[in-house]
């Protein structure tokens, strides 16, 4: 039996016990490098905006929403067919003469499928 080098060989138990320690050191080193690299990247980014960089209200004050009732343009009833370029897109409406808002009926649920009783 050849025993040359057996006394200098590392026992199996030492290798099995040190492998998780070495892997843990490698993972710790990778995390330290990732944090260091993230700090370098963040240092190159611009800082938070100054108060004068934020948008300001216009001179006339806040712009308010205008709500009005609109009516669609009438389609011709003379039997002709309109082509798509004659329909004026989404702007084919005009201001309605009656600007009163429609009111829901007393027994109305307010929307389809909202669970109300609906119209009876």
């Amino acid at each position: 039996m050849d025993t040359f080098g057996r006394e200098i060989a590392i026992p199996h138990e030492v290798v099995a016990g040190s492998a998780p320690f070495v892997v843990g050191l490698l993972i710790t080193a990778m995390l330290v490098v990732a944090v260091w690299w993230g700090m370098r990247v963040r240092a190159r980014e611009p800082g938070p905006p100054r108060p004068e960089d934020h948008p300001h209200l216009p001179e006339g004050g806040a712009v308010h929403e205008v709500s009005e009732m609109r009516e669609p343009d009438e389609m011709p009833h003379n039997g002709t067919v309109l082509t798509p370029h004659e329909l004026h897109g989404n702007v084919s409406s005009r201001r309605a003469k009656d600007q009163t808002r429609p009111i829901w009926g007393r027994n109305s649920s307010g929307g389809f499928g909202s669970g109300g009783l609906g119209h009876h």
Side-chain angles (χ1 to χ4, degrees), residues 48-116:
R50 298 182 310 259
E52 57 267 7
D53 294 338
H54 291 283
H56 299 286
L57 285 175
E59 291 295 326
V63 180
H64 298 286
E65 179 180 335
V66 176
S67 177
E68 63 181 12
M69 303 304 296
R70 305 288 293 174
E71 291 179 352
D73 287 340
E74 291 293 326
M75 298 295 282
H77 298 288
N78 58 4
T80 61
V81 177
L82 293 178
T83 57
H85 71 276
E86 295 173 326
L87 290 177
H88 307 294
N90 291 336
V91 295
S92 61
S93 65
R94 55 187 157 77
R95 188 175 190 327
K97 294 175 188 170
D98 183 21
Q99 288 294 311
T100 58
R101 294 179 60 99
I103 300 173
W104 289 101
R106 183 175 169 187
N107 292 329
S108 174
S109 64
F112 178 75
S114 64

Side-chain angles (χ1 to χ4, degrees), residues 15-37:
V15 173
S18 63
F21 179 73
V22 171
V23 170
L25 282 178
L26 287 175
I27 290 174
T28 304
M30 288 177 10
L31 287 174
V32 168
V33 169
V35 168
W36 172 76
W37 187 35

